[in-house]
Amino acid sequence: MSIRSLWIKHYWSFGFKSFLYDLLTPHSYRASMARALTLLQGREHGVWLDVGCGSGLLIDEGQSHLRKGTKLLATDVLATALERCSAKAARAGLAPSFLGFQADLSLESPVKENAIDVALAHFSLYTLNAPDRRRLLLNHIRQSLKKDGVFALVNPTDDYDASLIIQDSLVISREKDSLPRQWINRMLYRLTYKLGLKQIERRIQEGHWKGYAPGEMEKEVEAVGFAIDHSELVYAGSARLLIVHPVDGFN
C-alpha cells in the first residue's frame, strides 16, 4: 500500500483524534452545512439523525437549531469521530438530548422505522463507491424517516475542485474574520489543500470515491423512494445539496 493510500485510510481517524481535522476544516465546508441547516429551518423540534457525523460539524454550525428541543442521534463508523462529536455535544450543553452510536448504515441500521424527523448526511455517502452499498444506506435512511420527515444530503460533484474550495474559503474568511485570523487561515489552508482536499480530489478522479455528474444524485435518491424538494450547488460548485422527502407507499 502506498504512503498516499495509507494517509487517506487513516486521515479521518488521525484527524479526529488529534484535533487536526477541525483545525483544517475550510470555511466553504462549514458554509455548506450552514446552508443545509438554513433550508431545514422550522424543523427544530423532533428527532434528528446525523449520518456520518464526523467530529460534529452539525453541532458546530447548528446549535441554534439543536437547542430548540431537538433530539440528536449521531452515527459514524469511526469511534474517534463519535468521541469528538460526543465531547462537543457535552460542551454545548446538548448531552441530555444527544446519543452517539458506532454503526455502518450501509450494512444495517439500529434506528427504528418511522422514528426520525430530519436525517442529514453531509459528505457521508461518497466514500461508498459501490452503488449497492449507497442504495442500502439510502433505504435505511428512508425507512427510519417519519412520513413527513425530510432528508438533507451533500455529496461531491464529479468536477470537484480543491483549488476553488480554498479560494472560496479565503473569500469567506475575508468577510468574516479579523486580519490576524485571515493570515492564520491562509497558512492553515495550505495544509488543508495538500493533506485533505487534493487527496479527496484525486480519489474522486481515480474512481475510488463517488463524484456525481449533473442529475445523477437526484436519480439515485429517487430510485429508492425519495422525492426532490430542493437541489443546488454548494462548496464552491464542488458539491450538490439535496433536500428530499420519502414517497408515501414506496416499496
Side-chain angles (χ1 to χ4, degrees), residues 164-191:
L164 289 180
I165 294 167
I166 293 298
Q167 291 174 26
D168 185 52
S169 296
L170 290 172
V171 169
I172 298 172
S173 181
R174 286 197 295 271
E175 295 171 349
K176 296 180 62 173
D177 297 327
S178 65
L179 285 174
R181 184 70 239 185
Q182 291 177 42
W183 181 85
I184 291 171
N185 283 338
R186 283 197 294 270
M187 301 298 292
L188 289 176
Y189 286 168
R190 294 178 185 177
L191 293 176

Side-chain angles (χ1 to χ4, degrees), residues 39-140:
L39 293 171
L40 294 171
Q41 283 182 352
R43 292 182 172 270
E44 290 82 1
H45 297 281
V47 181
W48 284 38
L49 174 65
D50 188 0
V51 181
C53 63
S55 65
L57 183 65
L58 172 57
I59 295 172
D60 290 338
E61 300 299 322
Q63 288 187 31
S64 62
H65 288 70
L66 302 175
R67 284 176 175 161
K68 293 179 180 178
T70 307
K71 295 180 180 178
L72 176 61
L73 306 181
T75 179
D76 204 285
V77 297
L78 294 174
T80 50
L82 290 169
E83 290 170 6
R84 290 282 290 135
C85 191
S86 297
K88 284 185 181 180
R91 287 196 299 272
L94 302 173
S97 59
F98 175 86
L99 175 63
F101 55 94
Q102 189 172 3
D104 184 344
L105 296 191
S106 70
L107 301 177
E108 60 180 352
S109 176
V111 183
K112 293 181 180 179
E113 293 188 9
N114 304 313
I116 303 299
D117 295 284
V118 177
L120 177 68
H122 187 262
F123 287 88
S124 303
L125 276 71
Y126 77 104
T127 58
L128 302 174
N129 195 38
D132 288 347
R133 288 189 66 190
R134 295 198 304 274
R135 190 176 302 114
L136 279 172
L137 189 148
L138 289 168
N139 266 317
H140 287 149

